């Protein structure tokens, strides 16, 4: 991908970036007269439209918001720090800075796309740029404008539509803008993606740029989403599909067309798909970042890396982050997506048996040095990385291994026994550790297969918890690439299996008279049931898709969506086992226990003998705050006009929408 910022830095510098939430509707995105001396070749127009693919433009959305909601709030990732951790614990409000950044970033994307759609064609024609190049540029802008509005509709629900950020519209009509209902938003998104379908090239493009399959694939996702809207919701601007099966059929048609365009085979290099500088043919639409100054590239590596070794020498903010324990232990041992998604300790089977009954989970029994095991990972620079449960304690020099500790320095143990791997490959940053050349997929071919399966299942049964063989061929296509056996039936979302007293703990405590007292503690848990929701979690973990999947369940059956989230057991964390004594020098997993049990035992011990102090509790999820539509940021003026919700479908279809 060209480093376009060297050639048009002055133009980008002249752009009006949204400086506050107050002007997210009214800022003119570009001083167009500056383009007259620049947009005079097809190549320069192509370079110019690269801005809508990610660099700088999508930073406020991608930097934190996308994974705070897509991974933390959805229950895929454990994280407990500041405004970010509020999403995991469901404690955010409309003052959360990441909600504000995500919301205004999407309108910044829309403003730039509007500029390319409304103003750039005239300038380009005046300077002799070809009609084919102009058509492609407008198609790309419509593709990403639709994407921004899709995110707004799914995260926030009813929200304003702005199709023209020119000074006249911004100055004269901005005070009149109201929210559009979700029906209007879906209509606009469909119109944009249908236009993109006709305007974009029919063959795959270099640098993961948008092409026809990008539009047909996203139309399939839109139609599955619309077909899912079957429940009577009380959200502002709610939408209910008038014919779900017709829209499921539309999704199948567009999905199968996409598969035919893209080729039926999934990319076999699952792990390589997420490494810096790669262009997997499976990725049909993506944010495409470059190394460079802050916000030109992607910050995902530094946000999720466990150590400086994994951050290419930069700081690392992922020490306590990891897949939630319920998600981690739901992977089948043979699923090759686990290694690509998570740095984890030992075998997956060993992780689930936290009391150390499986010797495969004991580092002292593992001969890992110089051998390929589940503890060894090859990084982007070709070096080997050995993952240890608690290196801060276990990586100490010995006579046999005097250079052991200097390998990585002190590294933290995650409270969920693993750390995030996707997009974390130790690429060395150039100008800023927050700016890495990563490709963040918005749509992959595997997604299209599973969307077609979901549509076929939706036609077969209205009950998302009922198993069916419909769509199983497409599901097995994805499972085959993961190295897993075929299934014969699948449901969209079945209730999880309740398991009482899955975690148990025992201890002996002397009372004030010195008499030993035995105490016990246990807690309930659930085992995740295999269904399409779980298959999608395994396939797209850390790609910010899970919340969109949960929303489709919510649209079909709100009560099932609430139950699904509450049964995730997402607060399950671990600490040093109560009364375990000195931890094994190699970090024996049997020395760790669920934090809930540790606290419960310590509270009972304190009641027997006040000299025994209670230990920290496991963090609790505030399910009372669960909401399926995010609040409009407090920093956006909540005017009486902006509080209104209207249906603009007719105006959009007739080309008479005024804003």
């Amino acid at each position: 991908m060209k480093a376009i910022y060297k050639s048009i830095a002055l133009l980008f510098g002249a752009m009006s970036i949204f400086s506050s939430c107050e002007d997210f509707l009214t800022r003119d995105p570009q001083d167009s007269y500056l383009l007259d001396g620049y947009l005079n070749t097809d190549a320069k127009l192509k370079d110019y439209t690269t801005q809508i693919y990610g660099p700088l433009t999508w930073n406020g959305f991608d930097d934190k918001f996308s994974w705070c909601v897509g991974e933390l709030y959805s229950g895929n990732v454990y994280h407990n720090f500041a405004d970010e951790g509020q999403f995991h614990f469901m404690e955010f409000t409309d003052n959360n800075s990441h909600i504000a950044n995500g919301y205004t970033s999407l309108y910044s994307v829309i403003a730039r796309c509007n500029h390319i759609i409304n103003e750039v064609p005239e300038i380009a024609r005046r300077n002799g740029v070809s009609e084919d190049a102009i058509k492609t540029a407008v198609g790309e802008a419509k593709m990403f404008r639709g994407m921004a509005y899709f995110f707004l509709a799914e995260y926030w629900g009813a929200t304003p539509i702005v199709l023209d950020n020119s000074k006249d519209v911004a100055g004269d009509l901005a005070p009149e803008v109201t929210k559009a209902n979700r029906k209007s938003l879906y209509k606009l998104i469909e119109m944009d993606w249908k236009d993109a379908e006709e305007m974009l090239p029919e063959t795959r493009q270099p640098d993961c740029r948008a092409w026809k399959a990008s539009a047909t694939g996203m139309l399939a996702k839109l139609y599955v989403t619309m077909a899912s809207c079957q429940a009577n919701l009380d959200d502002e601007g709610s939408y209910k599909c008038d014919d779900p099966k017709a829209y499921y059929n539309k999704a199948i048609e567009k999905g199968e067309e996409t598969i035919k365009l893209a080729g039926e085979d999934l990319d076999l290099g699952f792990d390589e798909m997420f490494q810096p500088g790669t262009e997997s043919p499976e990725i049909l639409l993506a944010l495409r970042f470059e190394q460079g100054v802050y916000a030109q590239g992607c910050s995902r590596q530094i946000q999720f890396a466990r150590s400086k070794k994994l951050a290419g020498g930069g700081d690392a903010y992922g020490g306590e982050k990891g897949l939630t324990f319920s998600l981690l232990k739901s992977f089948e041992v043979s699923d090759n997506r686990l290694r690509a998604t998570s740095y984890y300790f030992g075998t997956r089977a060993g992780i689930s048996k936290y009391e150390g009954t499986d010797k495969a989970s004991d580092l002292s029994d593992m001969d890992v040095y110089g051998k390929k095991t589940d503890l060894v990972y090859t990084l982007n620079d070709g070096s080997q990385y050995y993952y240890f449960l608690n290196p801060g304690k276990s990586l100490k020099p010995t006579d046999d291994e005097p250079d052991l500790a200097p390998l990585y320095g002190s590294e933290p143990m995650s409270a969920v026994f693993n750390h995030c791997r996707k997009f974390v490959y130790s690429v060395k940053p150039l100008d800023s550790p927050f700016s890495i050349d990563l490709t963040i997929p918005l749509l992959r071919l595997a997604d299209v297969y599973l969307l077609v399966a979901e549509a076929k299942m939706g036609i077969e049964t209205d009950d998302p918890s009922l198993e069916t063989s419909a769509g199983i061929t497409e599901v097995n296509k994805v499972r085959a690439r993961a190295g897993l056996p075929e299934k014969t039936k699948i449901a969209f979302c079945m209730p999880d299996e309740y398991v009482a007293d899955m975690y148990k703990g025992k201890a002996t405590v002397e009372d004030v008279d010195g008499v030993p007292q035995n105490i016990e503690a246990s807690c309930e848990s659930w085992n995740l049931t295999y269904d399409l929701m779980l298959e999608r979690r395994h396939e797209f973990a850390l790609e910010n898709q899970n919340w969109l999947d949960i929303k489709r369940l919510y649209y079909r059956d709100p009560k099932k969506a609430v139950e699904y989230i509450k049964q995730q057991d997402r607060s399950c964390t671990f600490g040093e086992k109560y009364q375990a004594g000195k931890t094994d020098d190699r970090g024996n997993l049997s020395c760790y226990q669920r934090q809930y049990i540790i606290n419960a035992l310590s509270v009972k011990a304190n009641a027997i003998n006040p000299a025994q102090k209670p230990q920290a509790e496991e963090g609790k999820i505030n399910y009372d705050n669960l909401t399926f539509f995010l609040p409009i940021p407090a920093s956006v003026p909540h005017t009486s006009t902006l509080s209104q919700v209207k249906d603009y479908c007719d105006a959009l279809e007739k080309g008479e929408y005024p804003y």
Side-chain angles (χ1 to χ4, degrees):
M1 190 180 194
K2 292 183 179 179
I4 65 170
Y5 295 94
K6 294 181 180 179
S7 60
I8 55 176
L10 291 177
L11 288 173
F12 274 27
M15 287 184 179
S16 299
I17 306 299
F18 298 133
S19 59
S20 69
C21 295
E22 287 81 353
D23 51 20
F24 78 105
L25 293 175
T26 61
R27 296 299 292 269
D28 181 25
Q30 174 67 47
D31 294 316
S32 299
Y33 71 90
L34 292 174
L35 292 177
D36 269 323
Y38 177 79
L39 286 183
N40 51 25
T41 67
D42 290 8
K44 287 182 178 179
L45 177 57
K46 184 176 180 180
D47 275 355
Y48 186 71
T49 56
T50 305
Q51 61 181 287
I52 62 175
Y53 280 84
L56 300 175
T57 308
W58 283 85
N59 182 65
F61 176 86
D62 176 74
D63 180 44
K64 292 184 179 178
F65 172 83
S66 62
W67 50 265
C68 279
V69 180
E71 301 300 332
L72 307 187
Y73 194 43
S74 71
N76 271 357
V77 171
Y78 170 83
H79 183 38
N80 59 15
F81 177 72
D83 282 7
E84 302 158 24
Q86 289 176 5
F87 290 91
H88 176 75
F89 294 106
M90 297 188 181
E91 295 175 343
F92 62 82
T93 67
D94 59 358
N95 284 305
N96 185 283
S97 61
H98 307 309
I99 289 179
N101 290 340
Y103 189 77
T104 54
S105 175
L106 291 173
Y107 276 104
S108 176
V109 172
I110 290 165
R112 292 175 190 256
C113 291
N114 287 343
H115 161 68
I116 292 172
I117 294 167
N118 298 326
E119 300 174 45
V120 164
E122 180 182 349
I123 298 169
R125 287 190 186 98
R126 194 162 59 234
N127 290 332
V129 176
S130 74
E131 287 299 321
D132 283 346
I134 294 171
K135 181 175 144 182
T136 297
V138 173
E140 290 175 309
K142 292 205 169 189
M143 190 71 240
F144 279 96
R145 185 173 72 177
M147 199 72 240
Y149 276 119
F150 183 72
F151 286 139
L152 285 165
E154 296 312 295
Y155 289 126
W156 282 275
T159 194
I161 290 175
V162 180
L163 302 183
D164 193 337
N165 294 83
S166 68
K167 292 179 180 178
D168 289 340
V169 171
D172 296 339
L173 299 179
E176 301 177 9
V177 175
T178 71
K179 291 179 183 176
N181 61 12
R182 277 200 295 123
K183 182 180 179 182
S184 302
L185 289 165
Y186 290 153
K187 172 57 65 176
L188 171 62
I189 295 162
E190 182 184 33
M191 291 170 61
D192 270 356
W193 286 344
K194 280 186 172 181
D195 286 347
E197 184 180 29
E198 296 300 320
M199 303 176 84
L200 290 171
E202 295 195 3
T203 57
R204 184 178 282 106
Q205 299 296 294
D207 299 326
C208 291
R209 292 184 80 105
W211 59 298
K212 186 173 183 177
S214 311
T216 57
M218 284 310 304
L219 281 168
K221 177 163 280 193
L222 174 66
Y223 292 144
V224 169
T225 301
M226 295 176 72
S228 301
C229 297
Q230 301 170 25
N232 292 314
L233 304 179
D234 57 3
D235 65 292
E236 194 176 34
S238 178
Y239 167 77
K240 187 175 181 181
C241 186
D242 55 3
D243 191 349
K245 290 188 177 180
Y247 276 89
Y248 278 135
N249 275 315
K250 285 185 177 184
I252 293 170
E253 178 185 351
K254 287 300 176 185
E256 291 179 345
E257 183 180 351
T258 305
I259 293 169
K260 184 176 180 180
L261 283 168
E264 295 184 3
D265 291 336
L266 296 173
D267 184 7
L268 296 179
F270 187 83
D271 191 17
E272 292 79 2
M273 194 183 331
F274 310 104
Q275 298 195 24
T278 57
E279 296 179 27
S280 168
E282 183 182 328
I283 298 175
L284 303 179
L285 185 66
L287 301 182
R288 187 82 160 115
F289 294 97
E290 298 181 350
Q291 287 225 34
V293 299
Y294 177 81
Q296 180 174 322
C298 182
S299 65
R300 194 67 56 91
Q301 176 172 272
I302 195 172
Q303 299 290 359
F304 282 80
R306 170 196 192 184
S307 68
K308 291 184 177 182
K309 170 73 174 179
L310 292 176
D315 291 334
Y317 300 157
E320 87 295 340
K321 294 187 184 84
L323 303 190
T324 52
F325 197 73
S326 60
L327 174 58
L328 181 71
K329 69 186 180 70
S330 73
F331 276 92
E332 296 175 58
V333 178
S334 58
D335 193 332
N336 60 38
R337 294 171 297 193
L338 175 58
R339 279 183 60 88
T341 304
S342 172
Y343 290 106
Y344 60 96
F345 173 70
T347 64
R348 220 287 292 133
I351 293 173
S352 65
K353 300 179 180 179
Y354 69 98
E355 290 184 325
T357 56
D358 186 339
K359 285 297 181 182
S361 64
D362 187 341
L363 274 174
S364 62
D365 290 345
M366 283 182 159
D367 183 12
V368 301
Y369 296 103
K371 297 183 180 180
K372 281 200 170 185
T373 73
D374 281 341
L375 299 177
V376 185
Y377 299 81
T378 301
L379 301 181
N380 196 57
D381 61 4
S383 64
Q384 297 288 299
Y385 177 76
Y386 297 85
Y387 185 86
F388 289 91
L389 176 64
N390 193 350
K393 291 185 177 180
S394 64
L395 287 190
K396 298 176 181 178
T398 66
D399 292 338
D400 295 333
E401 300 155 344
D403 297 327
L404 184 60
L407 278 176
Y408 320 121
S410 179
E411 294 184 351
M413 179 191 75
S414 170
V416 285
F417 288 161
N418 76 102
H419 291 86
C420 301
R421 173 167 167 81
K422 264 186 191 175
F423 309 112
V424 178
Y425 297 94
S426 194
V427 62
K428 185 175 179 59
L430 297 178
D431 301 318
S432 170
F434 293 91
S435 195
I436 303 298
D437 58 332
L438 288 176
T439 299
I440 306 295
L442 300 176
L443 180 70
R444 294 198 277 112
L445 185 56
D447 195 356
V448 179
Y449 272 112
L450 296 182
L451 288 168
V452 171
E454 185 176 336
K456 290 182 177 180
M457 294 160 59
I459 292 173
E460 183 73 16
T461 175
D462 295 331
D463 186 348
S465 64
L466 186 64
E467 284 189 314
T468 172
S469 59
I472 200 66
T473 299
E474 287 79 14
V475 173
N476 285 331
K477 182 82 173 181
V478 175
R479 285 179 61 83
R481 192 262 299 276
L484 299 174
E486 291 186 349
K487 294 285 185 176
T488 57
K489 288 187 177 182
I490 192 171
F492 179 59
C493 185
M494 295 176 65
D496 293 332
E497 297 175 353
Y498 173 71
V499 181
D501 299 334
M502 182 176 179
Y503 300 97
K504 300 179 181 180
K506 298 180 180 180
T508 301
V509 181
E510 291 186 353
D511 62 20
V512 292
D513 297 321
V515 179
Q517 302 286 339
N518 295 323
I519 55 176
E520 297 182 0
S522 63
C523 61
E524 60 189 29
S525 185
W526 287 264
N527 280 336
L528 299 183
T529 305
Y530 177 77
D531 49 35
L532 189 63
M533 288 283 283
L534 187 59
E535 185 66 49
R536 290 188 62 88
R537 286 182 81 184
H538 292 164
E539 179 71 22
F540 304 113
L542 305 184
E543 296 178 56
N544 313 320
Q545 293 288 334
N546 195 33
W547 183 246
L548 301 178
D549 299 340
I550 291 173
K551 286 299 290 287
R552 295 199 300 280
L553 175 61
Y554 172 73
Y555 293 150
R556 293 178 68 173
D557 192 324
K559 289 183 179 179
K560 279 188 172 61
V562 172
E563 292 170 1
Y564 173 80
I565 291 177
K566 287 185 176 181
Q567 289 176 3
Q568 288 177 333
D569 198 19
R570 61 199 288 171
S571 61
C572 178
T573 57
F574 290 79
E576 289 192 32
K577 191 173 183 179
Y578 189 72
Q579 294 185 333
K582 184 177 181 296
T583 302
D584 187 286
D585 284 341
R586 287 294 191 191
N588 191 340
L589 190 58
S590 65
C591 294
Y592 297 92
Q593 197 166 41
R594 181 163 180 175
Q595 194 66 50
Y596 180 97
I597 301 297
I598 295 170
N599 175 256
L601 290 172
S602 66
V603 169
K604 289 184 176 182
N606 176 255
I608 294 172
N609 188 340
Q612 299 286 330
K613 301 298 182 183
Q615 297 189 29
E617 290 186 84
E618 186 174 76
K620 292 183 173 61
I621 310 299
N622 191 352
Y623 291 110
D624 290 341
N625 286 345
L626 175 61
T627 177
F628 290 90
F629 291 101
L630 301 178
I632 300 294
S635 49
V636 171
H638 288 55
T639 63
S640 58
T641 304
L642 197 58
S643 298
Q644 299 176 26
V645 179
K646 295 185 178 181
D647 186 336
Y648 291 107
C649 285
D650 287 343
L652 289 166
E653 283 189 301
K654 295 176 182 178
E656 297 174 355
Y657 183 76
Y659 313 121

